[in-house]
Amino acid sequence: MAPELQAKIYQGKAKEVWSTTDPDQVVLRFTDAATAFNGVKKASIDEKGALNLAMSVKLFDVVSDAGVPTHVVESLNDTDLLCHRVTILPVEVVVRSVVAGSFAKRYGLEEGMLLDQPLVELFHKSDDLDDPLVNDDAAVALGWAKHWELQCMKELALQTHAALSAFWGAHGITLVDAKYEFGRTAAGALVLADELTPDGCRLWEQGTQRKLDKDVFRRDLADLGDTYRELHERVFGS
Ligand code: TMP
Ligand code: ASP
């Protein structure tokens, strides 16, 4: 029997976290909110929560099958995901296979160049500071993560990214880059946490390079709901 929801303990930009009657489990509720540029741009997109939850469940299955430990227990309904309670580390791991976004801007590059191998960048998870880039030494010196934890997160992020790249590739889509978050369990183990959705990665249709992720919303390229419904259909069939 799944535990019951108790109280909302965290309000994120697109998700809520609820405590449950089991102190070791929480519920992530996927809402229809879409935000970009650290909440500067906002909208409510019909069905987005349910589409992102379905996508997350599928993608967590894929990475779990590839041997990556995750926080997921099971989905409870269209919007609620039961998860092990973890402490999220304040370090986001971005893996890039193709030049895009802030990486293209920082180094003055065109978007679209395939990198020789996937690279990892670390960002400090802080809305107040707009998630600045950090290096390992700063993250360790500031107590955000132990050195071994950063090593472990990088390895797990690359393993996750390889599994998801293969998955999207089989659907005719390139996984350009993605942001992964990790949590510490009560026992101190690291697990892949948060969500795996097109809100947190870039997905380009192979051949056309058409964008099928949240850049559609950030850059006003198309309707986000229609885009996510199309992705969902490609993954699950109609
Ligand atoms: P970036 O190119 O803007 O640094 O983004 C890299 C990846 O991280 C991209 O797939 C989108 C994702 N991302 C988030 O999930 N949340 C964020 O706040 C940002 C800025 C990017
Ligand atoms: N994740 C941030 C937001 O939701 C920034 C972004 O994705 O552009 O506002």
Side-chain angles (χ1 to χ4, degrees), residues 13 35-39 214 218:
K13 291 193 281 279
T35 72
F37 312 118
N38 203 7
K214 204 171 82 175
R218 292 191 190 93

Side-chain angles (χ1 to χ4, degrees), residues 94 96 100-103 123 131 177-179 199-202 218:
V94 167
R96 302 181 188 275
S102 71
F103 186 86
F123 292 84
D131 296 355
D177 55 28
K179 184 257 302 174
D199 278 7
C201 68
R202 291 194 169 92
R218 292 191 190 93

Side-chain angles (χ1 to χ4, degrees), residues 55-77:
M55 208 85 74
S56 261
V57 168
K58 176 70 195 169
L59 298 179
F60 271 113
D61 267 353
V62 168
V63 304
S64 185
D65 287 349
V68 175
T70 84
H71 70 152
V72 170
V73 179
E74 60 178 344
S75 60
L76 301 177
N77 53 45

Side-chain angles (χ1 to χ4, degrees), residues 36-52:
F37 312 118
N38 203 7
V40 169
K41 185 169 178 174
K42 288 185 199 152
S44 177
I45 310 288
D46 203 29
E47 288 190 311
K48 176 172 177 280
L51 291 164
N52 270 357

Side-chain angles (χ1 to χ4, degrees), residues 40 93 121-122 187 224 231:
V40 169
V93 185
E121 289 181 334
L122 303 179
L224 191 69
L231 257 190

Side-chain angles (χ1 to χ4, degrees), residues 105-198:
K105 203 166 169 191
R106 192 179 325 124
Y107 299 116
L109 302 167
E110 292 270 318
E111 290 196 317
M113 189 179 86
L114 183 66
L115 294 159
D116 289 346
Q117 58 182 52
L119 64 84
V120 175
E121 289 181 334
L122 303 179
F123 292 84
H124 175 40
K125 187 174 162 63
S126 163
D127 283 342
D128 290 346
L129 299 174
D130 248 345
D131 296 355
L133 186 70
V134 287
N135 72 11
D136 296 47
D137 285 358
V140 172
L142 293 167
W144 295 334
K146 305 275 185 223
H147 182 72
W148 74 265
E149 289 178 322
L150 293 178
Q151 292 308 113
C152 180
M153 283 159 64
K154 287 188 201 177
E155 274 167 37
L156 290 176
L158 285 168
Q159 212 178 319
T160 299
H161 201 72
L164 295 181
S165 295
F167 174 82
W168 285 116
H171 291 86
I173 292 169
T174 302
L175 178 59
V176 168
D177 55 28
K179 184 257 302 174
Y180 302 111
E181 295 194 24
F182 291 86
R184 270 186 212 110
T185 65
L190 291 182
V191 296
L192 182 66
D194 193 43
E195 63 180 67
L196 293 175
T197 70

